[in-house]
Amino acid sequence: MDAIQIYGGNRLEGQTKVQGSKNAVLPILAATLLINGTCEIKNCPVISDVHHMLRLMESLCCKIERSGHTIRIYTGQLFGHDMPCNMPSDSVCVMRSSIMLLGALLARTGRVDMQYPGGCVIGKRPIDLHLKGLRKMGVVIEEREDGFLAETKGLIGAEHKLPFVSVGATENLVLAAVLAKGDTVIENAAREPEICALCDFLNQAGARIEGAGTSRILIRGVEKLHEVSYEVPADRIVAGTYLAACLCCGGEIYLKDAPCSQMTAVNVAAASMGAEVYEGSDGLQIVCKDKRKMPERLRTDSYPGFPTDLQSAFLTAMTMAEGRGTMEETIFENRFHIVGQLQKMGAKIICKENTVSVEGIERLKGNILQAEELRGGAALVLAGSAADGSSIVENRHFIERGYENICQDLRDLGVRCETMEYSGRV
């Protein structure tokens, strides 16, 4: 079994470089399907979700060359191929972001036959918003038990008002609208930085998109896009994870290339727990000298609120803070899988529906832990880093979906950890 072993107890000190953004690069890779030619994507993280996305694109007859953190993608061969292509089901079903291919492929080929996408066990995340929006744009969709067939004779612009903020639906509608006939408006659009990165990439390729980063996005359809070279921004969630590691362990660290402008809510939360956070010219410095303070209440929300992807990491830090506090989850209904694992380490947590109550303790105790999803798995590595004794976090592959090399990054900061193959015996 793939696992990570951690020997806890070190205060953190040092510097690490923040990788490219997982949540930005996946829709950008899908967006290259809209372009008849070759695109170059720089600062692409080496993570398993990117591997699966590239594998899906290769099944669609894309030619892909990878050198380190740079990917060159040639999509010209999509023309003339009878869809559907045989997208490997294990890659479709392993990650939610495979649905990003839908809008781009419909714009490029007019026909998509695919299985329902998969992902983590953090909530339902239905794709009905995606399908409803595409139907308004002239797509006929036949749903089956295991997937769907979507066809269009030509996408047309439409006005969408999302009933709730959805990053994935916003991205998919943007991808579909870029080459559609006429204008498309998305009201109550997601405002996440990853939306801005996608729209920036598309605009550099010749799209006409206005309002990215606001709740109203206007896309004026164009006839075609052109080749582009684009650098993926740094990952705000990875940066926030390592900030939370400093909260858990104490110390002083520097996160090179951390996207400071995207981390306001995270930095405010860290400051409420006693951290000193300084924005540098090319990164973020975090100093945690004293005992962690317990925030009275942390609440996840859509951007620019506190991100759900960092809920588990900050909950871990709260277990070792002074006093009592609560964490409320408003985005996903099933994101407290980590609670039982933290309780195994001695944490005092009571979970009720979408809120947990925490009473801080002095230290967690090392244990054998099971990662069940990406962000919770990373948070368990943080818990082990701060705990007395050693810990093993099983199912490392969940963490590798979004962290290029979490062990090396944490070793740069003073954590004693390493990957391992675990047989179930220590």
Side-chain angles (χ1 to χ4, degrees), residues 191-360:
R191 301 165 58 189
E192 271 70 3
E194 296 78 27
I195 302 288
C196 297
L198 172 63
C199 293
D200 184 36
F201 169 83
L202 289 167
N203 281 338
Q204 288 190 33
R208 299 174 62 196
I209 305 172
E210 303 171 11
T214 75
S215 59
R216 183 181 188 273
I217 299 177
L218 169 64
I219 308 104
R220 301 187 185 278
V222 298
E223 290 188 5
K224 64 178 182 178
L225 301 177
H226 56 74
E227 298 174 344
V228 67
S229 177
Y230 187 81
E231 182 165 343
V232 177
D235 196 312
R236 63 190 176 100
I237 303 302
V238 170
T241 300
Y242 299 156
L243 185 159
C246 196
L247 280 172
C248 290
C249 300
E252 181 174 348
I253 64 173
Y254 192 78
L255 303 177
K256 183 174 173 54
D257 294 342
C260 301
S261 64
Q262 303 175 9
M263 297 179 64
T264 300
V266 175
N267 294 344
V268 168
S272 75
M273 297 185 70
E276 300 172 31
V277 183
Y278 305 99
E279 295 186 12
S281 59
D282 65 347
L284 199 66
Q285 182 180 25
I286 302 102
V287 181
C288 298
K289 297 178 180 178
D290 304 318
K291 178 71 178 177
R292 291 159 292 275
K293 301 175 184 177
M294 180 71 76
E296 181 178 347
R297 188 178 191 86
L298 284 182
R299 179 180 185 273
T300 66
D301 204 351
S302 300
Y303 189 85
F306 183 81
T308 181
D309 279 352
L310 289 174
Q311 177 252 99
S312 297
F314 272 71
L315 177 60
T316 300
M318 288 170 64
T319 66
M320 296 171 282
E322 291 181 330
R324 298 171 183 262
T326 60
M327 172 73 81
E328 181 184 0
E329 173 59 55
T330 71
I331 307 299
F332 295 120
E333 75 281 358
N334 197 21
R335 198 153 203 174
F336 286 127
H337 278 275
I338 192 177
V339 167
Q341 301 300 305
L342 293 174
Q343 288 171 335
K344 285 173 61 175
M345 305 178 79
K348 295 182 178 180
I349 307 175
I350 298 175
C351 185
K352 185 177 181 181
E353 296 180 350
N354 68 331
T355 301
V356 294
S357 301
V358 184
E359 180 182 347

Side-chain angles (χ1 to χ4, degrees), residues 93-109:
C93 296
V94 79
M95 62 174 185
R96 181 69 50 173
S97 296
S98 58
I99 194 65
M100 290 298 102
L101 296 170
L102 178 57
L105 280 173
L106 282 170
R108 185 74 183 275
T109 69

